[in-house]
Amino acid sequence: MASESILVINAGSSSIKFTLFDVEAGEVSLHYDGRIQPDTISFDLFLQPSVGIDKEYGGQVEGIGTAPKFKAKDRDNELVYEETWDAGERSSGHQVALEKLMNWLDDHLGDTTLIGVGHRVVHGGTEYAAPTIVNDAVLQQLGDYTVLAPLHQPNCLAGIRAMLAMRPDLPQVACFDTAFHRNHPLVADQFALPYELYEEGVRRYGFHGLSYAYIAHTLPTIAPELADGRVVVAHLGSGASMCAIKGGQSMDSTMGFTALDGLPMGTRCGNLDPGAVLYMLQEKGMDAKQIEDVLYRRSGLLGLSGISNDMRDLEHNPDPRAAQAIDYFIYRITRELGALAAAIGGIDALVFTAGIGENSDMIRARVCRAAAWLGIELDEAANSQRAQRISTASSKVAVYVIPTDEEKMIALDTLRLLRP
Ligand code: AMP
């Protein structure tokens, strides 16, 4: 019998990441993955026939600012396909990049039938609490949410629009970063602003929902006793947030109306007194674009250190400001950990995930030591060996490191919708 597959597309401002999953008995496993760089129309494709889902992604971005290039590599990183084309096609970035991908896939799918495409969409507004098949009406409504996520939403929708135009009969499924948080309680949804603003959508949406949904889906397979437990997940990557989960449901998140709130990030400020924005506006005479630039691109680890937005650079830099930036990062995580534990009446487990959470034993150790008062007891050896469980057997709170897989979550959501 011919097999089936699902393509996952994660379109960002300067890159499109794609992953092809095989569908087998209601599960999905990684088939191909890679990234497209539409701004430069360059993408690499890594061919990984039926590798396990735990395998690390082989995709990478290459050729920024150079001639358009498509490359396919096998699981051993050997080049199996390469294509370059005229840089004149640059103007229609997403469209051209996706055409190249689809043409290549058509030649390589063989007997496999592509049953649908799952797209990461950053904002589902108040309406979308579950994956949704996109038609013109849905696309239009999602476009209305661009005002809520101006930096991200247009890119997500550009990918869907291009796919709908190219393959009108292929189901395009939107999976939302806000959806996992849509059922959190009203007190976690509101700001103490005039109620009319709440009604028009000024709410605490929370983001990184696909990552949290994946952890909520995976944790009970590792620790079944935590299925109904109180869990705080720290998604610490270039974007960073934390989520309080109870019984598998999001109860609160550090991110609110936009992906700026909460923890300091690579270049985003995190929690801020709104009076600081008024100060920039009224006293410094900055306009909205300049303030946006400060809040999104010049703050966080970069703003604090003046050195880099990358934790790896800071960890090894002797400059005292690098250390101060890390101190601030740890301090805010520790504060939010206490607050989120309070929001769900205690904590049974803490999970670290994403680039920093999965890879920096130093950050994990410092957070756990600072949270000893909560009953966290770190197993230092397990932590430095990057074990899955890094707390001692006697720790009151279990601590795990679980690699996130947003693409797999999108594939599973897409599969559930198309093959209920
Ligand atoms: P993500 O957004 O989840 O891909 O995470 C990217 C971030 O993870 C990078 O900006 C780095 O700051 C961080 N990161 C990746 N590897 C390491 C590492 N070995 N140690 C510390 N930070 C890391």
Side-chain angles (χ1 to χ4, degrees), residues 35 208 235-239 266 301 309-313 315-316 353-363 386 404 406:
R35 288 165 203 236
H208 289 140
H235 176 111
L236 309 177
S238 50
L301 296 174
N309 62 338
D310 193 313
M311 185 58 79
R312 286 165 292 199
D313 296 337
E315 281 185 2
H316 301 109
T353 193
I356 300 170
E358 292 165 28
N359 295 303
S360 176
D361 54 337
M362 181 275 285
I363 296 289
R386 234 203 282 183
T404 195
E406 289 146 308

Side-chain angles (χ1 to χ4, degrees), residues 105-395:
L105 277 182
D106 282 345
D107 290 344
H108 290 81
L109 278 171
D111 275 352
T112 307
T113 307
L114 188 60
I115 59 168
V117 183
H119 296 261
R120 181 184 194 162
V121 177
V122 73
H123 221 301
T126 54
E127 197 74 20
Y128 295 96
T132 302
I133 295 182
V134 183
N135 55 29
D136 287 344
V138 173
L139 197 59
Q140 190 171 351
Q141 192 167 18
L142 296 180
D144 292 344
Y145 301 141
T146 295
V147 289
L148 301 178
L151 301 186
H152 297 103
Q153 193 81 342
N155 307 307
C156 308
L157 301 187
I160 301 180
R161 207 171 283 116
M163 290 299 296
L164 276 173
M166 248 187 303
R167 306 285 163 113
D169 297 328
L170 190 61
Q172 306 293 324
V173 177
C175 300
F176 302 98
D177 253 325
T178 47
F180 186 64
H181 304 292
R182 281 324 301 141
N183 294 318
H184 60 198
L186 183 65
V187 285
D189 204 41
Q190 287 182 306
F191 295 106
L193 289 169
Y195 194 69
E196 309 86 80
L197 285 168
Y198 177 77
E199 285 182 312
E200 70 180 62
V202 183
R203 302 178 182 202
R204 294 178 46 81
Y205 293 96
F207 297 90
H208 289 140
L210 292 160
S211 173
Y212 294 127
Y214 178 78
I215 301 295
H217 168 89
T218 305
L219 186 60
T221 67
I222 298 167
E225 71 283 5
L226 290 172
D228 295 322
R230 300 159 300 177
V231 180
V232 174
V233 182
H235 176 111
L236 309 177
S238 50
S241 71
M242 294 167 75
C243 180
I245 296 174
K246 198 172 176 182
Q249 307 286 320
S250 169
M251 292 291 145
D252 204 350
S253 155
T254 59
M255 274 185 176
F257 178 55
T258 66
L260 275 179
D261 202 2
L263 302 179
M265 302 170 225
T267 61
R268 285 175 257 164
C269 58
N271 180 249
L272 187 72
D273 178 343
V277 177
L278 292 177
Y279 172 79
M280 286 189 266
L281 192 69
Q282 294 167 337
E283 302 302 325
K284 294 191 68 78
M286 294 166 71
D287 65 21
K289 275 281 160 217
Q290 290 170 316
I291 296 173
E292 178 188 282
D293 192 46
V294 168
L295 301 180
Y296 278 92
R297 296 179 201 92
R298 291 171 48 204
S299 297
L301 296 174
L302 176 65
L304 287 164
S305 68
I307 298 166
S308 171
N309 62 338
D310 193 313
M311 185 58 79
R312 286 165 292 199
D313 296 337
L314 301 182
E315 281 185 2
H316 301 109
N317 195 305
D319 189 317
R321 276 182 59 194
Q324 284 158 14
I326 296 175
D327 288 349
Y328 184 87
F329 189 63
I330 303 287
Y331 174 68
R332 297 307 306 205
I333 295 169
T334 312
R335 251 183 74 140
E336 294 292 351
L337 180 57
L340 291 173
I344 48 175
I347 176 169
D348 302 308
L350 168 65
V351 178
F352 289 97
T353 193
I356 300 170
E358 292 165 28
N359 295 303
S360 176
D361 54 337
M362 181 275 285
I363 296 289
R364 292 194 302 264
R366 288 189 58 185
V367 170
C368 288
R369 285 183 210 128
W373 66 277
L374 275 173
I376 289 178
E377 209 175 86
L378 181 70
D379 179 335
E380 302 273 353
N383 182 46
S384 52
Q385 288 156 21
R386 234 203 282 183
Q388 189 171 60
R389 181 177 163 139
I390 60 168
S391 51
T392 63
S394 59
S395 180

Side-chain angles (χ1 to χ4, degrees), residues 18 31-33 43-49 69-83 104-105 107-108:
F18 59 89
H31 194 131
Y32 298 115
D33 74 313
F43 64 91
D44 290 346
L45 177 63
F46 290 77
L47 170 61
Q48 296 175 323
K69 189 162 52 178
F70 173 107
K71 282 199 273 182
K73 295 182 181 180
D74 66 13
R75 63 200 308 177
D76 300 320
N77 222 20
E78 294 293 325
L79 192 69
V80 295
Y81 183 75
E82 187 169 32
E83 182 187 346
W104 192 87
L105 277 182
D107 290 344
H108 290 81

Side-chain angles (χ1 to χ4, degrees), residues 8 17 19-24 26-33 48-58 75 214 217-218 221 358 402-409 411-412:
V8 171
K17 187 175 178 187
T19 317
L20 189 74
F21 288 90
D22 286 333
V23 177
E24 238 173 273
E27 256 293 331
V28 294
S29 67
L30 187 65
H31 194 131
Y32 298 115
D33 74 313
Q48 296 175 323
S50 301
V51 298
I53 51 163
D54 292 335
K55 187 171 177 6
E56 292 216 341
Y57 288 154
R75 63 200 308 177
Y214 178 78
H217 168 89
T218 305
T221 67
E358 292 165 28
I402 302 178
T404 195
D405 195 339
E406 289 146 308
E407 278 71 27
K408 188 180 180 196
M409 198 64 234
L412 286 167

